[in-house]
């Protein structure tokens, strides 16, 4: 199928033919078709649980050898293959709120603590107007990609 450049004009009606072509273009992007624009894709990703119970650990991953809970809200991910330059690694983190605390008025924040070519450690916190504390998280999705 491949990727086809599409140009739109103001007021143009979007027909089923155009919608089908857009769908084919999204497929070409997702599948890495050579005719599609290059989109940075994660080299490494991991879906984990940060609880200290039996649910803790890696649910699914690519390019990760281990996930360690160092303490409440403190985690380390070790990469299977080292990155060339830690200054050229993008990181994206997504978290599922701790369901026991959902609706409690806290803002949840995560930050990378250290990032090297071989591993990444990060922390998860919850905060509101009167408190700030480390917080375990039931579901985390963390992606890494090398920036050219």
């Amino acid at each position: 199928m491949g990727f086809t450049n599409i140009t739109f004009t103001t007021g143009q009606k979007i027909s089923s033919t155009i919608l089908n072509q857009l769908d084919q273009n999204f497929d070409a992007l997702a599948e890495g078709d050579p005719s599609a624009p290059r989109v940075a894709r994660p080299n490494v990703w991991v879906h984990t649980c940060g609880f200290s119970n039996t649910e803790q650990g890696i649910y699914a991953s690519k390019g990760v050898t281990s996930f360690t809970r160092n303490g409440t809200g403190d985690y380390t991910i070790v990469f299977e293959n080292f990155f060339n330059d830690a200054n050229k690694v993008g990181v994206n983190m997504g978290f599922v709120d701790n369901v026991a605390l959902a609706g409690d008025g806290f803002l949840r924040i995560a930050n990378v603590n250290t990032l090297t070519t071989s591993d990444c450690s990060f922390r998860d916190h919850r905060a509101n107007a009167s408190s700030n504390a480390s917080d375990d998280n039931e579901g985390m999705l963390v992606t890494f990609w090398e920036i050219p």
Side-chain angles (χ1 to χ4, degrees), residues 42-99:
N43 301 71
V44 175
W45 59 267
V46 62
H47 178 198
T48 67
C49 175
F51 286 163
S52 60
N53 60 19
T54 57
E55 295 178 14
Q56 175 187 344
I58 297 174
Y59 291 148
S61 68
K62 175 186 172 191
V64 170
T65 59
S66 67
F67 167 79
T68 304
R69 179 183 181 272
N70 304 312
T72 303
D74 184 7
Y75 312 101
T76 300
I77 294 169
V78 177
F79 308 131
E80 185 176 315
N81 297 306
F82 295 174
F83 285 103
N84 292 322
D85 182 352
N87 293 319
K88 292 187 175 185
V89 176
V91 181
N92 185 34
M93 296 184 276
F95 295 85
V96 175
D97 288 341
N98 180 333
V99 291

